[in-house]
Amino acid sequence: MSEKVLLTTDFKDLKLFRRGKVRDVYDLDDKLLIVSTDRISCFDVILPSGIPHKGKVLTELSCFWFEFLKDIVKNHFISAEVKKYPENVRKYEKELSGRSMLVLKTKPLLVECVVRGYLAGSGWKEYKEKESICGIKLPAGLRESEKLPVTLFTPSTKEDKGHDVNVDQKYVEMLIGKDNADKIMRISIDIYRKASEYAQKCGVIIADTKFEFGIHNGEIILIDEVLTPDSSRFWPKDRYLAGKSQPSFDKQFVRDYLEEMGWDKTPPAPHLPQEIIDKTAEKYLEAYNRLSGKALK
C-alpha cells in the first residue's frame, strides 16, 4: 500500500490540548481540533508501526455515525471540511484533510460507556470463570461469541494511562449523579441497537462497542469517536458461527499476532511486519466500505 502514514502532528502555533494513543487534539478556545493519526495501540501500548488509511477511516466513519445517530442524541461534531476551519488552521490542510474534525469543547463525563451484544473478549473470559459479565449474572451454557440474551451496559472508568477498570452502575451514579448515569445508559443502548440493526444490513455484526459523552451548555452530548474499528468489535455476518472466536474488521487481528509472537505487553512494542500492516489496513478499509456504502476518498 502506497499511502503514507501519519504518526504524529506538530502544529507549533496551535495549542496542544492532549496527545492520546491515536488522536492529537488541539485547543481552539471553545472548540477542539481532533486529528486522527495512523497510530495503533494494543494492550494500552502505542506500536511503532502505523496503519495506512487508519486515521481517515476513524474520522470518516465517525462523521457517518454522528449524522446517522443525531435523532437519538446531539453530538459535538461541527465540520470535517478544512476550508470551514478557523483561518490559522487551514494552512495545515495537507495533514488535516480527511483525518480531522472540528468539534465543540465539552466537559467529558469520566466514564467509558461499553455496550455488549455478544459474548466476546474480556466478557467471555469472565463468563467462563463466573457466568457473569462485569458482575451481571448470565444464564449457564452460553458459548463464545454467542448473542447475549439481553444487551448489556457495562461501564468502566476512563484512564489516561493503563487499563480502564470495570465498574457497576452504582459507581457511575456516585460519579456523575443518578439522572446522568441513567441517561447515558439509556442513550448508549439505544445507539447500539439502532447502529446494530443498520450494520446487520451491511453484513457487519457489532459485537460490542464503547461511547463517550460530555456536557455542553448543560446537556449531555455524544463526543470522541463513534462505532469505529478502534472502539468496536466488528464481525463479518456471513462468517459468523457461535462457539468460537470470530474473524474481525478491527484491531483484534493485530492483538492476535502480538499474542502469538509472545510479546509481554510492556513497552517498547515490537514493529509489525509489512504483511500484518497491510492486512490490518485492508480490514479497516473494508469496515468503512461496508458500513458507509462507499470507498474511502
Side-chain angles (χ1 to χ4, degrees):
M1 294 192 179
S2 58
E3 176 82 2
K4 187 177 179 181
V5 298
L6 179 72
L7 289 179
T8 191
T9 61
D10 185 21
F11 306 143
K12 295 191 183 302
D13 58 335
L14 301 181
K15 182 181 177 183
L16 184 66
F17 186 74
R18 71 181 182 88
R19 201 182 298 279
K21 291 169 189 161
V22 174
R23 284 175 291 281
D24 294 347
V25 184
Y26 292 87
D27 191 332
L28 306 178
D29 297 323
D30 61 336
K31 301 177 183 67
L32 296 174
L33 175 68
I34 299 178
V35 187
S36 293
T37 71
D38 296 318
R39 297 194 294 267
I40 186 168
S41 71
C42 290
F43 311 112
D44 295 312
V45 179
I46 299 170
L47 306 188
S49 310
I51 305 298
H53 310 284
K54 180 175 179 283
K56 292 182 178 180
V57 167
L58 300 185
T59 299
E60 297 286 343
L61 206 46
S62 289
C63 292
F64 167 80
W65 287 118
F66 281 134
E67 176 67 23
F68 183 80
L69 298 165
K70 66 182 182 181
D71 62 322
I72 295 178
V73 61
K74 291 181 183 177
N75 59 68
H76 70 164
F77 178 75
I78 297 173
S79 179
E81 296 182 51
V82 179
K83 65 182 179 182
K84 294 182 179 179
Y85 292 0
E87 189 175 350
N88 64 326
V89 177
R90 290 178 219 151
K91 60 187 170 186
Y92 300 114
E93 181 173 8
K94 183 179 178 182
E95 294 95 327
L96 297 176
S97 184
R99 65 168 69 248
S100 65
M101 295 188 294
L102 187 66
V103 303
L104 298 170
K105 187 189 284 186
T106 70
K107 181 182 178 183
L109 297 176
L110 300 179
V111 181
E112 293 272 9
C113 296
V114 181
V115 183
R116 302 172 189 266
Y118 291 75
L119 190 52
S122 62
W124 169 240
K125 289 179 183 176
E126 181 184 334
Y127 177 80
K128 285 191 292 183
E129 292 179 16
K130 306 175 183 176
E131 291 188 350
S132 65
I133 296 182
C134 299
I136 301 170
K137 290 300 291 182
L138 291 169
L142 297 178
R143 296 169 295 165
E144 182 178 8
S145 304
E146 189 164 348
K147 193 175 193 302
L148 292 166
V150 293
T151 301
L152 297 183
F153 179 72
T154 58
S156 69
T157 61
K158 182 171 171 54
E159 305 292 336
D160 285 333
K161 295 181 179 179
H163 297 283
D164 296 333
V165 179
N166 292 334
V167 295
D168 60 18
Q169 189 67 359
K170 289 291 183 187
Y171 180 91
V172 179
E173 290 175 7
M174 186 175 65
L175 194 67
I176 63 174
K178 189 174 189 314
D179 287 348
N180 284 344
D182 288 347
K183 188 167 187 178
I184 62 173
M185 177 172 65
R186 186 180 72 251
I187 293 171
S188 296
I189 291 173
D190 286 349
I191 291 173
Y192 174 79
R193 285 175 175 161
K194 181 176 182 180
S196 292
E197 187 177 317
Y198 167 81
Q200 288 266 356
K201 296 174 185 175
C202 301
V204 177
I205 292 171
I206 305 175
D208 53 48
T209 190
K210 64 180 179 180
F211 306 113
E212 293 188 34
F213 296 92
I215 304 286
H216 183 259
N217 290 339
E219 187 176 12
I220 290 177
I221 66 172
L222 185 62
I223 65 171
D224 199 59
E225 64 178 336
V226 186
L227 293 156
T228 70
D230 268 14
S231 66
S232 314
R233 204 182 301 269
F234 291 148
W235 297 336
K237 183 180 175 182
D238 58 357
R239 297 175 65 189
Y240 172 71
L241 183 65
K244 62 183 184 69
S245 63
Q246 308 297 308
S248 67
F249 297 129
D250 50 60
K251 63 181 179 182
Q252 189 60 45
F253 177 73
V254 181
R255 291 192 197 102
D256 290 345
Y257 166 79
L258 293 171
E259 292 262 27
E260 287 167 11
M261 71 170 292
W263 175 49
D264 64 3
K265 303 177 186 176
T266 60
H271 285 267
L272 298 176
Q274 192 61 45
E275 178 188 359
I276 299 296
I277 291 171
D278 291 347
K279 187 67 176 176
T280 305
E282 287 172 15
K283 287 175 176 289
Y284 273 74
L285 286 168
E286 185 169 358
Y288 175 78
N289 296 344
R290 287 200 186 200
L291 291 168
S292 72
K294 56 187 180 182
L296 194 68
K297 295 174 185 175

